[in-house]
Amino acid sequence: MGGPKGGGRVTLAAGWLIDGTGAPPRRGVAIEIEGSTLRAIGGLDAAAGLSGLPGEVLDCRGCTVIPPLVDSHVHLAFDGLHPGGAPRSAAAAEERMRQNAARLLRRGVLAVRDAGDAAGYGLRFARRVRDGGSRLHVLSTGPALHRPGRYGALLGRALPAGCQPADALEGEGGMRGAVKIVNSGLNSLVEFGRETAPQFGAEELAALVRRAAAQGLSVLVHANGREPVARAVRAGVRSIEHGFFMGRENLAAMAEAGIVWVPTLAPICAMAERPEAAPRERDVARRTLDHQREQLCQARGLGVKVALGTDAGSPGVAHGDAAVEELRLLIASGYPVAEAVAAATSAGAQLSGFGGGRLRPGAEASLLVLEGGPADIPESLRRIRRVFLAGEELPLPA
């Protein structure tokens, strides 16, 4: 739909603004865009109406404006529908990832962290995106690292015997946007709360963090259970992915160290509602989901920074729609709407390097216009009225 008209300026007269910082919604705002920049945010004069606003004026007084969403944990090569993970051919994987990107954009997700696949399809897709292949901003870890014989084969590669995680980065500087390492197994659907042993020691992880930092990369760690998470926290990683059953002590340490938590509620919620699953599996999944929501309440009280991540591509977890569900679960876990939106926008933008995470004067003019008020979020993400990316209004996906 092109960029701003009317002398290069457009003003959105919005009913509400949620700016992505976690601050409460503002009522009645004028958002002025010039070129690719958000030039100003001011109040609307109820008596004057829309008169006097600069440039082309868009009447969005029945809508809420928020930053674009960021899904901080996806698997672009998986779609959540086909078992077995990624397709076998690069061409099939490319088509699947393009379809997944379209689904994400349809729900206002303009940036993702791709957490890897064994073949490295997601990493190659991220490179093509950087060359202009998609509107979606993608930061990819490439294949994850794990110990031989332990969980992780679907997502990456096992380190050879005697190889340290830091050594696996040799020669890969500039190829990835981040590094993912697997330091536990999956959650059990048979025994509630069962924890698996760590795959790596704290010093091995710390050496990886140092080597990655020297190459300009951050480290995200798949970790469930007290000790796998504790080792990752002591190593100073950037984020903990999943973090089921990690406990209050780890949450407090994460708050102190500024480590981000990506709790990925959507997959366990999907399992709890999966009709073909055995009754015991559904029961354990429901209890696991409840426990994770309790940890989220603790995290909020302790000041842990939380970023929305869906694990989209996992069984029953569809790209795009999962972000709506994950946001709903955050709100249901005690996060006010504005704080949940911050987890889905500015927190993820910091992890992914996306420039559109907060709405403030001088920032990149990327935003969503959602039908209805703040109380209609997240369902209003299914009724997006307008999308701006760096000042350009994008066509709404069908």
Side-chain angles (χ1 to χ4, degrees), residues 5-32:
K5 301 176 184 178
R9 292 189 186 181
V10 62
T11 299
L12 280 68
W16 297 267
L17 170 69
I18 299 177
D19 63 9
T21 66
R26 290 175 57 181
R27 182 73 185 266
V29 293
I31 303 166
E32 184 182 340

Side-chain angles (χ1 to χ4, degrees), residues 73-95:
H73 191 119
V74 305
H75 297 279
L76 285 173
F78 309 157
D79 64 5
L81 303 174
H82 298 84
R88 294 185 177 181
S89 75
E94 176 74 16
E95 178 58 27

